[in-house]
């Protein structure tokens, strides 16, 4: 994996599905109000070919940063990142990010949109989860009033740069010009899977209406095992 930097905050990312770790523990589940309660994870994950697919993602942020997903019209209790979720393709999810380093009391409300899926081996979905990383620079930029877009995509093996990434820390990225569309650029380089958007909208006085919460689409949450 490789990195190219330019001085703007619109970011296009690449993701490499290696070196992931499974968090042991039972699978928890949250469903939106408009969706019937689902009894277990297999009901979702073993959907028919033309049904909804739930893509596994790992939400990553700076150390001690906390994230909370929106469910049933409110945010769940915040948990320290990294955290694992299975998010439905074609849906956009709202998260609440707090305990940001050097920014006490500040919070941002990013969205994660799943636009495509991967095809991990059955039973190894968490090991091959798509990494959605929010860096400190991303969070500080959003707090400062900027809008940050990250597009996570799978590289086209026929056009990818032959550069090793085993020694790279964090998720590689490069910036695109402010007037460029990062999603269109990602499509020329590979297959976009997820879009992270930070900044641009915040609720007034914690008024979390369903429009702001994108109507709380269903998802699965994988809590870490208790120590």
């Amino acid at each position: 994996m490789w990195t190219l930097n330019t001085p703007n905050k619109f970011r296009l990312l690449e993701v490499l599905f290696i070196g992931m770790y499974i968090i042991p523990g039972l699978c928890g589940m949250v469903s939106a109000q408009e969706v019937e309660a689902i009894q277990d994870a297999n009901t979702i994950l073993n959907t028919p070919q033309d049904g909804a697919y739930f893509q596994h993602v790992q939400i990553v942020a700076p150390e001690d940063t906390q994230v909370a997903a929106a469910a049933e019209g409110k945010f769940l209790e915040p948990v320290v990142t990294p955290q694992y979720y299975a998010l439905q393709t074609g849906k956009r999810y709202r998260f609440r990010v707090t305990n940001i380093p050097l920014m006490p009391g500040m919070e941002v409300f990013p969205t994660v949109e799943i636009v495509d899926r991967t095809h991990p081996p059955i039973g190894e979905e968490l090991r091959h989860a798509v990494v959605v990383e929010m860096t400190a620079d991303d969070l500080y930029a959003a707090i400062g009033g900027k809008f940050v877009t990250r597009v996570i995509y799978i590289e086209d093996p026929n056009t990818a740069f032959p550069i090793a990434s085993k020694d790279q820390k964090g998720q590689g990225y490069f910036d695109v010009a402010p007037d460029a569309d990062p999603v269109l650029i990602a499509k020329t380089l590979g297959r976009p899977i997820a879009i992270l958007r930070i900044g641009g909208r915040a609720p007034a006085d914690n008024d979390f209406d369903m429009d702001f919460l994108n109507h709380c689409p269903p998802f699965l949450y994988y809590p870490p095992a208790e120590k």
Side-chain angles (χ1 to χ4, degrees):
M1 199 175 295
W2 52 279
T3 301
L4 173 66
N5 295 321
T6 58
N8 68 78
K9 291 297 179 182
F10 288 88
R11 296 186 173 176
L12 182 64
L13 308 192
E14 58 181 349
V15 63
L16 187 62
F17 301 110
I18 61 173
M20 301 299 300
Y21 295 91
I22 298 176
I23 292 182
L26 297 176
C27 170
M29 184 203 67
V30 178
S31 59
Q33 291 177 336
E34 70 270 22
V35 179
E36 292 183 359
I38 301 170
Q39 298 305 314
D40 58 63
N42 288 332
T43 305
I44 291 181
L45 299 181
N46 296 330
T47 54
Q49 186 174 1
D50 59 348
Y53 181 80
F54 283 72
Q55 173 64 50
H56 289 73
V57 301
Q58 182 193 38
I59 305 294
V60 179
E63 186 176 4
D64 295 329
T65 300
Q66 296 181 335
V67 64
E72 298 183 348
K74 62 182 180 180
F75 286 102
L76 302 180
E77 289 297 318
V79 287
V80 176
T81 58
Q83 294 290 333
Y84 286 81
Y85 301 87
L87 308 180
Q88 187 177 343
T89 54
K91 300 294 185 180
R92 185 179 297 188
Y93 293 82
R94 179 75 66 179
F95 290 86
R96 185 180 196 173
V97 179
T98 55
N99 203 39
I100 300 169
L102 304 179
M103 291 287 177
M106 301 300 293
E107 55 188 13
V108 296
F109 297 87
T111 62
V112 176
E113 181 180 4
I114 305 300
V115 296
D116 205 337
R117 58 162 294 185
T118 61
H119 295 267
I122 295 175
E124 297 188 17
E125 291 85 0
L126 284 178
R127 184 170 178 236
H128 298 277
V130 172
V131 178
V132 178
E133 181 179 17
M134 295 177 282
T135 68
D137 287 344
D138 293 338
L139 298 173
Y140 297 155
I143 291 172
K146 295 183 178 180
F147 185 78
V148 181
T149 299
R150 283 178 172 255
V151 180
I152 297 91
Y153 68 94
I154 300 175
E155 290 184 301
D156 183 340
N158 297 316
T159 59
F161 287 98
I163 301 175
S165 59
K166 61 182 180 180
D167 297 326
Q168 178 176 295
K169 294 182 180 180
Q171 190 175 51
Y173 71 87
F174 63 90
D175 292 340
V176 301
D179 58 347
D181 186 334
V183 177
L184 293 180
I185 293 179
K187 289 181 178 179
T188 68
L189 301 172
R191 185 162 58 91
I193 299 296
I195 304 173
L196 169 69
R197 299 177 176 92
I198 313 175
R201 186 179 181 190
D205 300 323
N206 288 336
D207 181 17
F208 305 127
D209 60 52
M210 291 299 284
D211 286 338
F212 178 77
L213 299 178
N214 298 313
H215 297 275
C216 299
F219 64 90
L220 296 177
Y221 170 54
Y222 297 81
E226 295 183 4
K227 297 182 180 179

